[in-house]
Amino acid sequence: MFRYTIKRLLQSLVTVLVVVTIVFLLMRMLPTDYFFTEDQLIHLTPEQRQEQLQAAGLLDPVPEQLVRYYGQIIRFDFGESRRIQSGVDVTKVIGSKFTVSMRLGCTALVIALLVGVIIGVIQTLNKDRLLDHVGTAYTVFVNAVPSLVSYSLVLVFGSKVLGLPPLYSTRNVSQSSILPIVCLALASIASYALWTRRYMVDELNKDYIRLARVKGMSSGAIMVKHVFKNAFVPLVQQIPASFLYTIGGSLLVERFFSVPGMGPLLTDAIIRYDVNVVQTLAILYATLGIMGVFIGDILMMLVDPRIKLTGRGGTR
């Protein structure tokens, strides 16, 4: 397991390095005018602009700039914001917003896992009955209806019926976070419920379950000791995907509910061509996604030590 963990960690680091390189090269394809603020473009002469570009190293050969950027990342130096908060370090611009986004995202992920698995178990216990059909209808609805429509329904129901704040507020963080968290969790709940039901139904149809029944084992013991335990192993693989969905969904949800997180910051930075903020956020999102997949592999191996991810007989 140790060797596999080190190998996967190195693969993840290489993937992050590739992402960093691609993002950097794409940003360097933009015109150099985006290096300057609107005020600087108006008042600086072409000669003065060239001097600033030379001082910033943007006129150096691209490979030289790339190597220098690698060194900056190692030192966690991502430069300064040029347009969002001019002259402020990018890490400070992102810092507080990262905390908000991760708090909402991680809370939504935990809720989705618990609620989705419970729904899937209930569907399995009531296979082909009313509760099973209701759970299936929910899954189909969430996957078929556009996200903005489902978010609007949550917003209307939550604000009009339950009296929850329709928009995020720093003065009332706990209550105003409920609707964004619910929207972030919707798709993952449906995914966990679908796969939990599917895996548990597959386990119930296997021969060892029939043998356990013949031996007189109770239905409850079969569900706990065999069905759910074995069905949860492949379910662990869904955790990284749910994490990625949560990250992607936050871009829309945070804008929809006016959450001061990384989602609105990324879109604002793209619109305003704040290169340092854009490339830092792109690298951050990619790193979170890659590490999510890495952690999912490790969790799967911990849940069932019988799984061999390396060695003779093939690799995962």
Side-chain angles (χ1 to χ4, degrees):
M1 177 177 174
F2 178 76
R3 291 180 58 187
Y4 173 77
T5 303
I6 296 300
K7 178 181 177 181
R8 288 290 289 114
L9 181 60
L10 292 176
Q11 290 175 345
S12 299
L13 292 176
V14 171
T15 306
V16 171
L17 180 63
V18 171
V19 171
V20 169
T21 304
I22 293 175
V23 171
F24 178 86
L25 294 177
L26 288 175
M27 292 297 102
R28 289 304 175 272
M29 293 175 65
L30 292 173
T32 54
D33 285 351
Y34 295 128
F35 176 77
F36 303 99
T37 63
E38 289 82 355
D39 185 66
Q40 289 175 325
L41 288 173
I42 294 173
H43 294 95
L44 293 179
T45 64
E47 291 76 15
Q48 290 174 325
R49 295 181 197 171
Q50 288 295 107
E51 290 176 1
Q52 290 200 15
L53 291 173
Q54 184 68 48
L58 294 178
L59 299 182
D60 296 337
V62 174
E64 184 178 332
Q65 294 184 48
L66 182 59
V67 173
R68 186 164 58 242
Y69 187 63
Y70 289 153
Q72 292 175 346
I73 291 179
I74 293 174
R75 299 191 304 271
F76 292 96
D77 178 13
F78 297 96
E80 296 179 347
S81 170
R82 301 289 299 178
R83 294 173 183 266
I84 300 295
Q85 296 181 31
S86 182
V88 178
D89 193 85
V90 170
T91 54
K92 293 183 179 179
V93 175
I94 297 176
S96 60
K97 299 181 182 296
F98 176 81
T99 303
V100 174
S101 294
M102 287 299 102
R103 177 174 56 81
L104 295 180
C106 292
T107 303
L109 188 60
V110 172
I111 292 173
L113 179 60
L114 294 175
V115 175
V117 170
I118 291 173
I119 292 176
V121 172
I122 293 174
Q123 286 185 259
T124 304
L125 296 175
N126 297 272
K127 186 175 178 294
D128 297 328
R129 299 175 187 172
L130 178 61
L131 291 178
D132 186 21
H133 296 318
V134 171
T136 301
Y138 166 75
T139 302
V140 172
F141 176 83
V142 170
N143 291 324
V145 175
S147 298
L148 279 176
V149 175
S150 59
Y151 296 165
S152 299
L153 293 174
V154 171
L155 175 62
V156 171
F157 180 81
S159 60
K160 299 297 183 181
V161 178
L162 302 180
L164 295 171
L167 298 177
Y168 186 88
S169 173
T170 54
R171 296 181 180 179
N172 188 8
V173 174
S174 57
Q175 287 194 1
S176 63
S177 298
I178 294 175
L179 295 183
I181 289 173
V182 170
C183 289
L184 284 173
L186 282 177
S188 295
I189 289 174
S191 176
Y192 281 126
L194 173 66
W195 290 106
T196 300
R197 180 190 182 280
R198 181 172 299 178
Y199 292 137
M200 292 186 72
V201 170
D202 287 343
E203 290 296 320
L204 284 171
N205 292 326
K206 291 183 177 179
D207 292 337
Y208 78 93
I209 297 297
R210 299 189 182 95
L211 180 60
R213 288 198 180 101
V214 170
K215 289 182 176 180
M217 185 176 289
S218 65
S219 299
I222 290 175
M223 293 296 293
V224 174
K225 294 182 179 180
H226 295 296
V227 177
F228 183 75
K229 180 180 178 180
N230 291 328
F232 191 73
V233 174
L235 189 65
V236 171
Q237 289 182 307
Q238 304 300 317
I239 295 178
S242 296
F243 187 68
L244 295 177
Y245 289 147
T246 303
I247 294 174
S250 66
L251 299 176
L252 182 58
V253 170
E254 290 179 2
R255 175 68 70 178
F256 190 83
F257 290 98
S258 298
V259 178
M262 295 191 297
L265 178 62
L266 178 58
T267 54
D268 289 343
I270 292 173
I271 293 172
R272 299 173 66 177
Y273 297 101
D274 197 324
V275 174
N276 287 339
V277 176
V278 171
Q279 63 187 16
T280 302
L281 284 174
I283 293 168
L284 178 59
Y285 277 119
T287 302
L288 290 174
I290 292 167
M291 295 309 297
V293 175
F294 168 72
I295 293 172
D297 284 344
I298 302 303
L299 285 177
M300 186 173 176
M301 191 164 50
L302 291 174
V303 170
D304 190 352
R306 296 172 300 174
I307 297 175
K308 288 189 175 181
L309 300 172
T310 59
R312 293 182 181 179
T315 59
R316 183 178 180 275

